[in-house]
Amino acid sequence: MTITNTSIIKKILLLILVFTGIYYSKVFLMPLLFAGILATLFLPFCNWMETKKLSKSMSVLLCFLTLTIIVLGIILLLSWKISELINDIALVKQKAIETGINIQDYIFNHLNITVEEQFKILKDEQPSYSSIVQIVVGSLTYIFSNFILVMVYFIFLLYYRIHIKNFILKLAGISQRSEMEKVIYSASNIAQQYLIGLSKMIFYLWIMYGVGFSSIGVKNAVFFAILCGLLEIVPYIGNIFGITITVLVSALHGVSFPILIGIVIIYGTVQFIQGFILEPLLLGPQVKINSLFTVIALVLGGLLWGIAGIILAIPVTAIFKIICDNVETLKPYGFLIGVPNGIIKEKGFIEKVKNMLWHFNTKKQL
């Protein structure tokens, strides 16, 4: 009993040490993890180019250029749409002023706080203009420097991928190397399928949201479609945040109530298609994480690394589950993170459709 308790205490202390290290190594690990996920996503493309007799350097360079074009394309598209929103700033400002006046009246009527007292409270709480500028400049500098670092890591991780793989194999004993190689292949292959499937799903969501929002006359429909699609990276929180922004900004533009209801209906329809068609077709059941650990991963990611941690939480947890499922000693943890067998084996109509779509897609890829 004493030995068991000592072992549990050691594991708890090790867990605390690991999370402490993750927290304080944010500056180093965060860009490396982003680069690792992106490198895993581009690994099939890089391997394919090398099979076409392109050199490793040229293949990595083409992957880098492709990623740069995609990122710049998204940034330019969002900037273009944001500029359209800025052009409507006068209307939004007017609506915001009207809403602010209504809120002030409500506070005065129900809390008996005069308008002068409300302005005094807001003035005391508001930061100075210079501090806001410093925060914005500091944030932009931080984002830009990390973006450059991610790109540098991305290039070198792709270029030295075989070298890194051989290093991992050397860590294992000679008798275990063949098994370790199978684990590396299986984990990287499923991780690639997951990340590529996630990218495809976001692209399809852009199309569905764009067509849906445009059909009911939502202004800047493309911007909101891209925003809602990208926010799908963060389960639950991203969904709520995306639809809330779309509804609020549309309301500030003065759209009618039926259009606001239409936005919610389109959002619900797209979410249904995503959950019961796109996810089983593109992602598959191998990386299914149960809701409890999805929330835990998001909370831990936010506590440790803020917004970047929330973005990385699900992909990192999914890849961790893949590794656990392929390493004998870690399989219990993969089982804990995954969906219970009873839920996976349900024979309802929707579950049968999911399984049918997934098996059809798997046969098609083979």
Side-chain angles (χ1 to χ4, degrees), residues 22-51:
I22 291 173
Y23 176 78
Y24 285 105
S25 59
K26 171 186 175 180
V27 176
F28 168 69
L29 283 181
M30 185 182 67
L32 185 60
L33 275 176
F34 271 114
I37 290 173
L38 291 172
T40 303
L41 182 62
F42 276 82
L43 192 56
F45 182 47
C46 190
N47 289 334
W48 176 79
M49 285 189 291
E50 290 183 16
T51 60

Side-chain angles (χ1 to χ4, degrees), residues 111-126:
L111 300 179
N112 199 27
I113 300 176
T114 63
V115 176
E116 291 77 9
E117 291 174 338
Q118 294 176 38
F119 274 117
K120 185 178 179 182
I121 293 172
L122 290 174
K123 186 177 180 181
D124 293 338
E125 295 294 329
Q126 284 180 344

Side-chain angles (χ1 to χ4, degrees), residues 344-358:
I344 293 178
K345 294 180 179 179
E346 286 179 354
K347 295 301 180 181
F349 172 75
I350 292 176
E351 192 62 32
K352 288 180 180 179
V353 172
K354 285 184 180 182
N355 292 333
M356 181 184 67
L357 289 170
W358 168 248

